[in-house]
């Protein structure tokens, strides 16, 4: 019978301890201390966030505060003519924003009659939205833009401006878009690409290809440690001047009958990759 009083005695001794702890926690002094401790933690977190660097952490998508499409105007002296073509939309120019760093810049040559081709590319391997392009650039190190000149046809320029506003994936060159001026467009493209992008490779492609960005990225990554790398077709041979032939030269864009400037047979650029399917 003795265990019962002992158990009762233990219970009677524990109750005052719980009561004392409850009284201690409910005292004004402890409540004030807890409040001060919470406020101190909140202030420390606020100060830490205010001193955090403004730059985005590594691994995030590239900065999307700038428009992707740019119009490139060459230096002219006052009074120089614009070449008879309508000026590029002024609202598309971004001005000086520094050279964007990527592994490779891919310029996709296109024209005013290639709306369907651009639509096909955007429905297959090329993202049709701004964020998709930025994610692709982050994943592969490749920046993609359509490259086009300008026209003296105001309706064509208006349609191009609407397309740029919708997709924001162009580099607009300040020269007339015409097949016979393709050599000058190519030179203008490389000049603009170098001015806009700090790249290990500058890639020229056409709008009639199906490209695998993942495979292109792997190929370039393997060649990244090599300088003066050129990959692509360097045609050299007789120049066709007979208008009855399919690939004849429309203008005297050659130095002799065996070297064609039109087909990029005169020069190679440092660390240039010209990739075409």
């Amino acid at each position: 019978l003795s265990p019962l009083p002992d158990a009762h005695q233990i219970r009677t001794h524990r109750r005052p301890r719980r009561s004392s702890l409850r009284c201690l926690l409910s005292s004004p002094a402890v409540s004030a201390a807890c409040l001060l401790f919470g406020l101190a933690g909140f202030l420390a977190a606020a100060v830490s966030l205010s001193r955090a660097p403004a730059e985005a952490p590594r691994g995030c998508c590239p900065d999307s505060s700038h428009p992707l499409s740019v119009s490139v105007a060459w230096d002219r002296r006052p009074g120089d003519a614009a070449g008879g073509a309508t000026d590029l939309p002024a609202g598309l120019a971004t001005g000086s924003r520094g050279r964007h760093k990527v592994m490779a810049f891919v310029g996709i040559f296109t024209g005013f009659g290639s709306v369907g081709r651009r639509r096909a590319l955007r429905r297959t391997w090329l993202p049709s939205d701004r964020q998709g392009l930025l994610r692709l650039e982050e994943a592969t190190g490749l920046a993609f833009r359509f490259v086009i000149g300008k026209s003296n046809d105001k309706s064509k320029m208006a349609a191009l401006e609407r397309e740029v506003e919708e997709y924001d994936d162009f580099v607009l060159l300040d020269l007339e878009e015409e097949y016979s001026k393709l050599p000058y467009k190519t030179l203008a493209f490389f000049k603009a690409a170098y001015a806009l992008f700090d790249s290990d490779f500058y890639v020229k492609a056409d709008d009639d290809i199906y490209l695998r960005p993942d495979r292109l990225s792997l190929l370039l990554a393997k060649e990244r440690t090599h300088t003066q790398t050129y990959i692509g077709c360097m045609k050299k041979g007789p120049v066709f001047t007979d208008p009855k032939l399919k690939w004849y030269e429309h203008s005297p864009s050659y130095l002799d009958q065996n070297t064609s400037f039109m087909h990029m047979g005169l020069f190679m650029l440092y660390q240039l990759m010209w990739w075409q399917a």
Side-chain angles (χ1 to χ4, degrees):
L1 298 175
S2 58
L4 291 177
D6 291 341
H8 177 73
Q9 203 171 25
I10 292 174
R11 288 195 298 269
T12 56
H13 282 297
R14 286 179 178 176
R15 286 176 182 173
R17 292 178 183 177
R18 290 199 297 267
S19 178
S20 300
L21 180 61
R22 187 181 299 109
C23 292
L24 178 63
L25 293 177
S26 61
S27 65
V30 173
S31 300
C34 292
L35 178 61
L36 291 176
F37 183 78
L39 290 175
F42 176 79
L43 292 176
V47 171
S48 177
L49 290 175
S50 65
R51 293 180 178 179
E55 61 183 15
R58 295 182 179 180
C60 293
C61 289
D63 182 18
S64 60
S65 60
H66 296 289
L68 302 183
S69 295
V70 293
S71 59
V72 183
W74 312 124
D75 296 331
R76 293 198 193 96
R77 290 174 294 183
D80 287 350
T86 304
D87 289 337
L88 296 172
L92 301 179
T94 61
S96 177
R97 58 169 181 160
R99 299 172 71 205
H100 183 53
K101 178 62 179 178
V102 291
M103 181 173 68
F105 172 65
V106 184
I108 308 169
F109 275 36
T110 189
F112 288 96
S114 297
V115 177
R117 289 183 177 182
R118 293 192 293 273
R119 186 184 302 115
L121 266 58
R122 295 188 184 107
R123 289 179 177 177
T124 52
W125 61 269
L126 184 67
S128 61
D129 63 291
R130 172 190 186 86
Q131 294 302 322
L133 281 173
L134 293 176
R135 287 192 297 268
L136 180 62
E137 177 183 326
E138 178 69 12
T140 63
L142 310 178
F144 295 89
R145 302 291 186 274
F146 287 108
V147 181
I148 194 171
K150 58 184 181 180
S151 172
N152 54 11
D153 189 325
K154 294 184 178 180
S155 62
K156 290 182 178 180
M157 291 301 297
L160 175 62
E161 186 172 1
R162 289 192 297 268
E163 188 176 353
V164 172
E165 290 294 330
E166 181 177 0
Y167 296 106
D168 192 18
D169 55 3
F170 281 88
V171 168
L172 303 105
L173 301 177
D174 189 18
L175 76 162
E176 188 174 3
E177 181 66 40
E178 187 176 317
Y179 182 78
S180 62
K181 296 183 179 180
L182 183 58
Y184 307 102
K185 179 180 179 179
T186 303
L187 291 175
F189 158 67
F190 285 119
K191 179 180 178 181
Y194 183 79
L196 294 172
F197 292 89
D198 180 11
S199 304
D200 295 324
F201 299 93
Y202 298 92
V203 184
K204 186 264 183 187
D206 289 330
D207 60 6
D208 59 352
I209 67 170
Y210 184 93
L211 188 144
R212 286 287 301 270
D214 55 341
R215 293 185 179 182
L216 178 59
S217 178
L218 290 175
L219 173 64
L220 294 180
K222 293 178 181 179
E223 298 291 338
R224 201 169 188 177
T225 58
H226 302 152
T227 60
Q228 298 181 344
T229 298
Y230 177 93
I231 304 174
C233 175
M234 180 71 76
K235 181 177 179 180
K236 182 176 181 180
V239 178
F240 301 144
T241 57
D242 186 353
K244 297 180 181 180
L245 299 177
K246 182 177 181 180
W247 303 114
Y248 84 100
E249 302 291 3
H250 296 256
S251 61
S253 55
Y254 47 84
L255 298 182
D256 56 56
Q257 292 298 316
N258 294 316
T259 304
S260 172
F261 175 46
M262 180 74 78
H263 293 112
M264 302 290 291
L266 293 181
F267 63 93
M268 294 176 64
L269 299 180
Y270 176 75
Q271 275 195 307
L272 163 67
M273 179 201 163
W274 184 356
W275 186 90
Q276 287 180 286

